[in-house]
Each structure stands twice: as structure tokens, then as C-alpha cells.
Amino acid sequence: MRDYIRNCIRSHRCLSVFTVLQLTLMLSILEVRFQFHQSPQTQRPMTHVYVVGQLSELARSLLFSGFAMGAMFYGYGLIHLPIKGALGGVFSRLRITGLAVWQRCSPLMLLPWSMKVVQGLSRFPFHMWECLAKEPCLAADNFLWFLVLTALLWIHLVILAIASFVVAVRLNLRMLGARHIRSGNHELRAYAQEINELLGFEMIVMTG
């Protein structure tokens, strides 16, 4: 089962990264709120935990995750445009421009997603500070248990967010580095030059 999951992740790497990014973002957008209600049956207030999330905000999170995935596509996918036909010259220039922009700006594609995740994760400590400032919270029934459980979940979510960001950055750096081949082998240089000529632009950069 473990080997099957690994093979699925390797064969669908981009889809797996998008799923992790989107799941992390959606969980960070959801807001945990504590409310206290006085129960006539007990003298202590009752603690109620609510998970709040706006459907419109959850739907917009797909745009942030999709924008972040632009860092994992060579030239934002423009390199797959055909160069044959009447528009071949235009498409060729678009591919060259797209690859050049991606080479310089692709890490910045992760910035909006990161800011959105940080904004969502920062809500929990702020709400906890508001709850602790209220007098009845510590005396409320089961409040400390809910607080510890929610804090543990929040810590795990922070770890997931950091891991997701690291995976996305490493994949982006790996793709950036894959364009540059350092070798003094003349056969390899000739092979890379033939590929570049076939594509119509310098997809493989030979260094060294």
C-alpha cells in the first residue's frame, strides 16, 4: 500500500502538490471560535466550539493554490505552444518570453498563497487571546480540554503549512536547476543544442 501511494505521488507529482497546497490553505482559512453559554442545569458556563468558514473564501482559495502551481510549470506552460503554422512566429516569441519570465519570477508565485496561509493561521492566537481576556473562560466547563486540543491541531497545521511550502519551493528549485546542465562532454552539448534547435529556443542551458 505504501509503495502504491509513493508511485501515485511520483506519477502525479503536480496534482499531489496542488492537493497538499489546497488542503493546507483551506484548513488555515477555517476559523475555530469558542463561545460560552450559561446552562441552567450547571453553575459553570458551557463551552461550545464552532468551526467557521465562508464558502466564497474557500472557493477563492483555489485561485491562490492554482497561482502557486505556476511556479511548477516551465514557462507557465507556454513552451507547449506549437511553432508551426501561420502563428508559429508569435507562439515562438510567447514561449521564449514565458520561459524567461518564469525563470526570474516563478518563486514569487508562492508569495500570495503563503500570505493567505499566514493570515489564516494568525487568527487562532488572536482569538485565543480574546478568549483568555474574558473572565468566564477559565471557569467554563471543558474549556481547557478544548483549548489544548485546538492548540495541538493548530501546531500540526503550522507544521503542515511549513512542509507544504518547503516541498513547493524544492520542486521549483529542482525545475529551475534542471534547465542548466554543467558538462564538458561535446556529445552532450551537441545533443542539448539539437533539442534547443528543435524547440526553437534555449530550453537547455549548458554551463561549464
Side-chain angles (χ1 to χ4, degrees):
M1 184 65 180
R2 184 179 301 176
D3 295 335
Y4 176 76
I5 295 175
R6 290 179 179 177
N7 292 332
C8 288
I9 293 176
R10 291 176 181 175
S11 59
H12 304 86
R13 182 173 299 177
C14 290
L15 180 60
S16 301
V17 173
F18 175 79
T19 302
V20 173
L21 291 177
Q22 178 61 20
L23 179 64
T24 304
L25 183 56
M26 291 181 65
L27 291 176
S28 64
I29 289 176
L30 296 177
E31 187 175 357
V32 179
R33 288 191 169 274
F34 290 85
Q35 291 186 2
F36 309 99
H37 301 282
Q38 187 65 44
S39 175
Q41 300 176 355
T42 59
Q43 297 180 352
R44 302 177 63 184
M46 297 294 296
T47 304
H48 296 274
V49 183
Y50 299 93
V51 179
V52 182
Q54 297 182 1
L55 293 178
S56 59
E57 192 174 5
L58 293 175
R60 286 196 300 269
S61 65
L62 291 170
L63 299 177
F64 290 93
S65 299
F67 190 79
M69 287 302 297
M72 270 70 79
F73 290 97
Y74 285 116
Y76 308 119
L78 296 178
I79 62 172
H80 300 292
L81 292 175
I83 58 174
K84 297 181 179 179
L87 298 177
V90 177
F91 288 160
S92 180
R93 287 191 291 270
L94 283 176
R95 296 199 303 178
I96 296 173
T97 303
L99 186 61
V101 173
W102 176 84
Q103 182 73 32
R104 294 180 176 86
C105 304
S106 59
L108 297 178
M109 304 290 284
L110 295 169
L111 185 59
W113 178 89
S114 304
M115 295 177 63
K116 194 67 176 178
V117 170
V118 171
Q119 180 185 3
L121 292 177
S122 62
R123 295 176 182 175
F124 175 75
F126 179 75
H127 182 63
M128 286 300 97
W129 180 259
E130 288 184 336
C131 288
L132 293 175
K134 299 177 181 178
E135 293 183 359
C137 69
L138 295 178
D141 191 26
N142 295 326
F143 171 73
L144 293 179
W145 288 104
F146 284 129
L147 179 62
V148 171
L149 179 60
T150 309
L152 290 176
L153 293 176
W154 181 79
I155 292 173
H156 283 82
L157 183 55
V158 171
I159 296 174
L160 177 62
I162 296 174
S164 303
F165 180 78
V166 171
V167 169
V169 170
R170 288 185 62 181
L171 183 57
N172 173 253
L173 294 177
R174 183 180 301 177
M175 297 184 68
L176 287 172
R179 285 194 63 218
H180 299 77
I181 299 179
R182 187 172 184 177
S183 175
N185 192 320
H186 296 289
E187 294 181 358
L188 183 58
R189 286 181 175 274
Y191 181 70
Q193 186 176 358
E194 290 179 2
I195 294 178
N196 291 335
E197 291 177 355
L198 181 63
L199 294 175
F201 60 95
E202 192 179 22
M203 177 66 188
I204 302 177
V205 181
M206 300 297 298
T207 60

